[in-house]
Amino acid sequence: MPRKNDILNKLTIQDLPIKGKRVFIRADFNVPIDDNLVITDDRRIRSTIPTINYAIDEGAKVILASHLGRPKGKVDPRYSLAPVARRLQRLLNKEVIFAPDCIGSQVESMVSRMKDGDVMLLENLRYHIEEEKNDPSFAKALAKLADYFVNDAFGASHRAHASIVGIPKFLPSAAGFLMKKEIEYLKGSVEDPVRPFVAILGGSKVSGKIGVLGNLVDKVDKVIVGGGMAYTFIKALDFEIGDSLVELDMIELAKEIMSNLKKKGVKFYLPVDCVIAQEITPGTETKIVTTQEIPKGWKALDIGPASVKLFSEAIQNAKTIIWNGPMGVFEIDAFSRGTTAVAHAVADAYAMTIVGGGDTDYAVHKAGVSDAITFISTGGGASLQLLEGKELPGISALTDKT
Ligand code: AMP
């Protein structure tokens, strides 16, 4: 039986005879764009460049497509991919033809005029409601543009949308280089880790990470939990947590997870102190207290210095680290120190370090240590789903190697 998310069983772009052929590359160009339509972070675009350059060098006609934001099936200039076309042009140092739509006779005739090595970017897939509905005739209209399909949109591969799972029903379909790398790192780290293997989880909600914790119980040596989600665990241990974030419906599950971790001999770390405030606003009064002493009316918004020391020591001898989710409300300077300190500890560890999730990625860059991280995933939801041990629809849909 084929194993879940097993990229080794799937075709990759290098298996396709793309010379002189039309190749439809689904990318994840869902980048932040400000009010002046300037791209403020182009890392997702840069990550797909190796796949695009390979296709150009092989002499393919390269047709790129992506979603951007949530235009909800309507044409909305705020979500146009035009700024992405301009940025791509600079990054590739070559003309990028920009199509005004992603399907239809005008686009088809533009594609028919493409020469080998030409690059075209289609307009936002989500201008058509059929994309998110995985409509078969929309997928067929997209597939009509090309001879081969390549999925390099790891960040969108947990979604069963037309451009992810629909097109592969009509065309031979392969993984791009970014997709392959993402799966190899995220799956490899969990399935065959060099030990000690430490997982660091943070962010606001236990509910968002509970699947990951459940899947990792059998695999990790240590689990560190920080961020808002830690206080549900602390409450489950019968401590008062003031007005800190809590998910009361997760308390029983939190108890179960802690008991499972204990049974498996996995070391489990929670914050021992925290930075508290009454308001989540910059400039508000803050205090550092132990986790047992959070007063009513106060919220724990970052881990404190003793927790930073505890977590850093737990990370120090790790050989594999995965980290997803900030340790506090890192968007506000007063509550960002814990996340920054953990970023430094992860970067300093002599380990394979894998960071996932948009916030954690941002925190690592803000701390200036991104170059010291082995792999930063481009997909938040997709990386969590992979760490939960779930199948990614976008990978299953690719053509099996024979
Ligand atoms: P998530 O999307 O679940 O990974 O959560 C990320 C968000 O969690 C960030 O926007 C943080 O501001 C927030 N967060 C982290 N720690 C806390 C905390 N102690 N209390 C409230 N929000 C938090």
Side-chain angles (χ1 to χ4, degrees), residues 202-205 209 227-228 231 245 300-301 325-331 359:
S204 57
K205 289 203 179 137
K209 310 267 158 73
Y231 302 95
L245 213 56
L301 297 172
M327 297 290 104
V329 183
F330 74 104
E331 297 91 337
D359 285 331

Side-chain angles (χ1 to χ4, degrees), residues 105-238:
S105 53
Q106 189 186 357
V107 182
E108 284 165 26
S109 96
M110 286 175 79
V111 169
S112 71
R113 291 195 296 273
M114 284 176 82
K115 297 187 193 66
D116 295 354
D118 276 357
V119 178
M120 179 185 291
L121 174 65
L122 306 179
E123 184 53 286
N124 197 341
L125 293 159
R126 287 198 191 161
Y127 278 179
H128 295 262
I129 199 78
E130 295 86 352
E131 159 67 356
E132 289 180 75
K133 292 192 185 312
N134 188 18
D135 179 275
S137 38
F138 179 67
K140 194 171 179 183
L142 291 170
K144 199 175 163 194
L145 299 174
D147 303 295
Y148 294 110
F149 174 68
V150 170
N151 188 349
D152 217 21
F154 173 74
S157 285
H158 57 312
R159 302 209 166 98
H161 292 171
S163 66
I164 300 289
V165 298
I167 306 178
K169 295 205 165 71
F170 302 100
L171 294 177
S173 301
F177 294 117
L178 173 65
M179 177 69 100
K180 191 163 173 263
K181 199 161 132 188
E182 290 269 6
I183 308 288
E184 281 171 352
Y185 272 106
L186 288 164
K187 204 169 165 270
S189 67
V190 172
E191 287 191 354
D192 192 16
V194 183
R195 293 183 183 281
F197 176 22
V198 181
I200 310 167
L201 296 175
S204 57
K205 289 203 179 137
V206 179
S207 46
K209 310 267 158 73
I210 203 87
V212 177
L213 269 168
N215 185 41
L216 293 182
V217 164
D218 289 328
K219 303 180 169 83
V220 285
D221 300 296
K222 296 178 187 178
V223 174
I224 295 171
V225 170
M229 65 183 281
Y231 302 95
T232 298
F233 286 92
I234 291 166
K235 178 95 182 152
L237 293 170
D238 276 341

Side-chain angles (χ1 to χ4, degrees), residues 331-361:
E331 297 91 337
I332 297 175
D333 280 347
F335 312 118
S336 69
R337 294 194 184 93
T339 304
T340 305
V342 167
H344 282 286
V346 170
D348 289 346
Y350 192 64
M352 175 153 99
T353 48
I354 295 161
V355 166
D359 285 331
T360 326
D361 172 4

